Amino acid sequence: MRIGDLAARAGVSVRSVRYYEEQGLLTSVRSPRGQRLYGDAEVERVRFVQRLYAAGLSSRTIAELLPCVDSPSRENSDAAMERMLQERARLSQHIDDLIQTRDTLDRLMAVAAEHHALQAAGTSSATHSTC
Amino acid sequence: MRIGDLAARAGVSVRSVRYYEEQGLLTSVRSPRGQRLYGDAEVERVRFVQRLYAAGLSSRTIAELLPCVDSPSRENSDAAMERMLQERARLSQHIDDLIQTRDTLDRLMAVAAEHHALQAAGTSSATHSTC
DNA sequence: CTAGAAGCTGACATTGACGTCAGAGGCAAG
DNA sequence: CTTGCCTCTGACGTCAATGTCAGCTTCTAG
């Protein structure tokens, strides 16, 4: 499987695949003439990397995490486990923030809807709220 | 209240405050000599903007949303409401993604912990899993 | 064999939310 | 008046993940 196919299957650009390799997030076997070759497993690998990106991890952090996924050993598992715990905490914090923001948005929309209803009824009440 | 105080109270940099004004997310009154002056309300405003940023909204999107918050009127409330619904959906999707990623991380950590335990017991079982 | 699609490397461009610096002016305290 | 801190505008730097282009090579279909 060549780079174009991998990119298509994983739903990313060819450029991104090369970048992932450059960052040490992905390895490839080279054909005698220098073209990158991949197995089916790499498709999942790319998707996994994408998900970590989506979770806000930097390529450096991902690079620190992946060795544990790849070759579990005593030395790296401790450090990686700590790293994962850290990222898990960061992720949870981020999720909580987003939920809180969504709640804020919901309250804003509720007030807006109420205002809209009042206005539709021609009632100009004392609701001084925003929107 | 001058820009430095506002920035300190809201917990952002002076640069950011100027940037917000540049993007139309914040307004200021100018002193006779041209310095920006703010009221207490702007502190909350800046914090609100920050939360929207944290939620992944771009400054352009925030700029489209804020007029509704500021001056509720019939024309802008419809558009703003739609926009808010859109962003709410995006937010929910993002939250779901993050939770899914956290779950993946949890599974990874569980396997890692198991592996670690087995290794500690000197047992090299058939768990071919990652880490 | 040959045209065109796809790959390679290397480098510069882009986007967004700032950081940072320069040069000039404002403002309160001693 | 001076010292030192704050503010102003304007412009360039940064960082990270990609886009994009150039110039060249390799593979594939006819």
Side-chain angles (χ1 to χ4, degrees), chain B:
Chain B
M1 182 185 215
R2 293 190 300 173
I3 196 172
D5 303 319
L6 173 63
R9 281 209 218 168
V12 303
S13 69
V14 169
R15 178 67 175 93
S16 295
V17 174
R18 291 206 194 95
Y19 178 73
Y20 296 166
E21 179 169 332
E22 187 182 319
Q23 300 299 310
L25 312 181
L26 187 66
T27 53
S28 63
V29 168
R30 295 302 183 108
S31 82
R33 287 306 185 180
Q35 300 199 338
R36 294 172 177 85
L37 299 177
Y38 304 93
D40 286 7
E42 316 309 315
V43 177
E44 263 317 300
R45 173 72 160 217
V46 170
R47 292 212 179 107
F48 184 59
V49 168
Q50 278 274 307
R51 301 206 29 194
L52 293 181
Y53 271 130
L57 308 207
S58 70
S59 61
R60 209 173 60 77
T61 304
I62 299 177
E64 288 180 45
L65 232 46
L66 287 179
C68 162
V69 177
D70 292 336
S71 61
S73 80
R74 199 63 192 278
E75 315 92 85
N76 69 17
S77 75
D78 278 2
M81 183 65 90
E82 192 170 352
R83 194 87 208 188
M84 282 168 141
L85 280 168
Q86 264 181 35
E87 292 306 326
R88 206 207 109 97
R90 230 185 35 78
L91 213 51
S92 290
Q93 180 62 54
H94 194 190
I95 291 171
D96 290 348
D97 287 353
L98 291 189
I99 288 175
Q100 210 182 338
T101 300
R102 188 176 60 182
D103 288 349
T104 302
L105 206 57
D106 282 347
R107 281 193 295 275
L108 216 57
M109 289 171 62
V111 179
E114 185 187 345
H115 178 88
H116 200 270
L118 288 176
Q119 212 173 34
T123 314
S124 182
S125 83
T127 41
H128 61 303
S129 306
T130 52
C131 209

Side-chain angles (χ1 to χ4, degrees), chain A residues 83-95:
Chain A
R83 194 84 208 189
M84 282 168 141
L85 279 168
Q86 265 182 34
E87 292 306 326
R88 206 207 110 97
R90 231 184 36 76
L91 212 52
S92 290
Q93 180 62 54
H94 194 189
I95 290 171

Side-chain angles (χ1 to χ4, degrees), chain A residues 20-32:
Chain A
Y20 295 167
E21 179 168 333
E22 187 182 321
Q23 299 300 308
L25 312 181
L26 187 65
T27 54
S28 63
V29 168
R30 295 302 182 105
S31 82

Side-chain angles (χ1 to χ4, degrees), chain A residues 13-117:
Chain A
S13 69
V14 169
R15 178 69 174 89
S16 295
V17 174
R18 291 207 193 96
Y19 178 73
Y20 295 167
E21 179 168 333
E22 187 182 321
Q23 299 300 308
L25 312 181
L26 187 65
T27 54
S28 63
V29 168
R30 295 302 182 105
S31 82
R33 287 307 187 178
Q35 299 201 338
R36 294 171 177 86
L37 299 177
Y38 304 93
D40 285 7
E42 316 310 313
V43 177
E44 264 318 299
R45 173 72 159 218
V46 170
R47 292 212 179 107
F48 183 58
V49 167
Q50 278 274 306
R51 299 203 32 191
L52 293 181
Y53 272 131
L57 307 207
S58 70
S59 60
R60 208 173 61 78
T61 304
I62 299 176
E64 289 181 45
L65 233 45
L66 287 180
C68 163
V69 177
D70 292 335
S71 60
S73 80
R74 200 62 191 276
E75 315 93 84
N76 69 18
S77 76
D78 277 3
M81 183 64 91
E82 192 169 353
R83 194 84 208 189
M84 282 168 141
L85 279 168
Q86 265 182 34
E87 292 306 326
R88 206 207 110 97
R90 231 184 36 76
L91 212 52
S92 290
Q93 180 62 54
H94 194 189
I95 290 171
D96 289 348
D97 287 352
L98 290 188
I99 288 175
Q100 210 182 338
T101 300
R102 188 176 59 180
D103 288 349
T104 302
L105 206 57
D106 283 346
R107 280 194 295 277
L108 216 58
M109 288 172 62
V111 178
E114 185 187 346
H115 178 87
H116 199 271

